[in-house]
Amino acid sequence: MPARILVYSATAGYRHDSIEASIEALRAKASSVDIDFDFTEDNSLFTDDHLAKYDAVVFLDNSGKVLDDAGKVALQNYLNLGGNFVGIHCAADALRDTPFFGKQIGAYFDYHPPLQESVVEVVDNTHPSTAGLPARWKLLDEMYNFQSDPRAVGAQVLLTADESSYSGKPRVSRWFDHGTPHPIGKLSLPWYQECGAGVQQECVAGRSWYTGLGHTIEIWSDELFLGHVLGGITWVLASKTTRAFNKEGKVGNPPTEV
């Protein structure tokens, strides 16, 4: 039985014109990674019963308050039961009023320089989401800066932006210390959490993976980028906290009985 993933792309603020392209790209790649993707922008589907069907939830380019209070509770419950989480690009600008979501995604978006060709450098090439990338990867995308250091909630950074490769002066924030060795403003890219920090104490924590990349329509037809995203998605599923991979899981797509 394939893993089953809910991809949620609702927006309540800025809406990326690449959302439709990203949905089509994931749909086209589903069979190659043995995943069933369900795509929705219906926040009423965030209930305990509905989320219990999924091995992971992907927040795709969301912005603003895209869940009501009941939906937030259902998402928290899902994560507490071992559900896995993926955030892509603008998802870091969603649910800013929801502390557990901020921890689960790792950090909230702060700002970005103008869209331009930039270079990112691989920090860890052993992770499935970076294993296929060149050591220095040139691409056209936004280099996100964040309001906090994702390492503060236990995240491990996978890529960093080469700040000398693009223009746009860093904005000085009065809210946080950017961290070292690179300013966190330049750690604009993917990270992962082996145990998602948004899970409440004494609960089962699935995995979390986030990438700040994915702004343009064109990048969603780039095989390097798609390998990056699919590597992150397949990595969270390997937590084995859900039913597609663990018969004792509390959420997820159960394997077919033989």
Side-chain angles (χ1 to χ4, degrees):
M1 177 70 69
R4 191 174 182 188
I5 293 179
L6 181 67
V7 180
Y8 185 53
S9 56
T11 56
Y14 181 82
R15 185 173 180 86
H16 281 72
D17 60 6
S18 59
I19 288 177
E20 286 69 28
S22 62
I23 290 171
E24 290 308 310
L26 291 175
R27 183 177 284 124
K29 290 290 187 180
S31 62
S32 70
V33 287
D34 197 26
I35 291 172
D36 287 339
F37 289 112
D38 291 343
F39 300 92
T40 190
E41 297 197 354
D42 183 356
N43 66 5
S44 72
L45 296 182
F46 277 73
T47 66
D48 290 344
D49 287 346
H50 191 75
L51 293 183
K53 304 173 184 178
Y54 296 101
D55 297 284
V57 172
V58 175
F59 271 60
L60 174 63
D61 267 336
N62 316 86
S63 60
K65 296 181 180 180
V66 291
L67 291 178
D68 59 18
D69 288 345
K72 294 174 190 176
V73 170
L75 179 59
Q76 175 76 88
N77 291 341
Y78 171 77
L79 297 175
N80 287 345
L81 293 172
N84 299 296
F85 177 85
V86 169
I88 298 175
H89 196 53
C90 195
D93 194 32
L95 299 181
R96 289 179 176 271
D97 62 341
T98 310
F100 83 83
F101 182 84
K103 293 177 181 178
Q104 188 70 17
I105 204 166
Y108 286 117
F109 166 75
D110 185 22
Y111 76 102
H112 63 78
L115 176 68
Q116 60 196 289
E117 192 171 74
S118 307
V119 173
V120 298
E121 300 176 334
V122 175
V123 175
D124 179 356
N125 65 3
T126 66
H127 194 275
S129 66
T130 53
L133 300 179
R136 287 176 57 81
W137 182 23
K138 183 180 289 187
L139 71 168
L140 178 68
D141 212 323
E142 292 175 337
M143 296 294 104
Y144 268 17
N145 295 249
F146 298 91
Q147 290 190 344
S148 61
D149 186 339
R151 294 169 295 187
V153 296
Q156 301 293 315
V157 173
L158 293 166
L159 299 176
T160 63
D162 177 355
E163 59 195 286
S164 69
S165 70
Y166 59 91
S167 61
K169 293 182 179 179
R171 190 168 70 190
V172 176
S173 172
R174 66 180 184 274
W175 292 295
F176 62 94
D177 178 356
H178 283 281
T180 56
H182 275 300
I184 189 58
K186 300 300 173 260
L187 295 175
S188 330
L189 302 159
W191 54 71
Y192 68 90
Q193 300 176 50
E194 183 67 46
C195 298
V199 173
Q200 293 175 322
Q201 290 187 353
E202 311 303 325
C203 295
V204 177
R207 288 175 166 179
S208 173
W209 182 86
Y210 170 78
T211 183
L213 301 174
H215 175 77
T216 67
I217 293 173
E218 292 77 13
I219 201 169
W220 285 95
S221 60
D222 183 314
E223 289 297 323
L224 275 179
F225 176 73
L226 290 173
H228 167 63
V229 171
L230 294 172
I233 290 173
T234 55
W235 177 80
V236 300
L237 295 173
S239 68
K240 298 184 179 179
T241 56
T242 63
R243 289 191 288 239
F245 305 93
N246 178 358
K247 66 181 181 180
E248 303 300 326
K250 303 299 183 185
V251 294
N253 200 20
T256 303
E257 295 293 337
V258 178

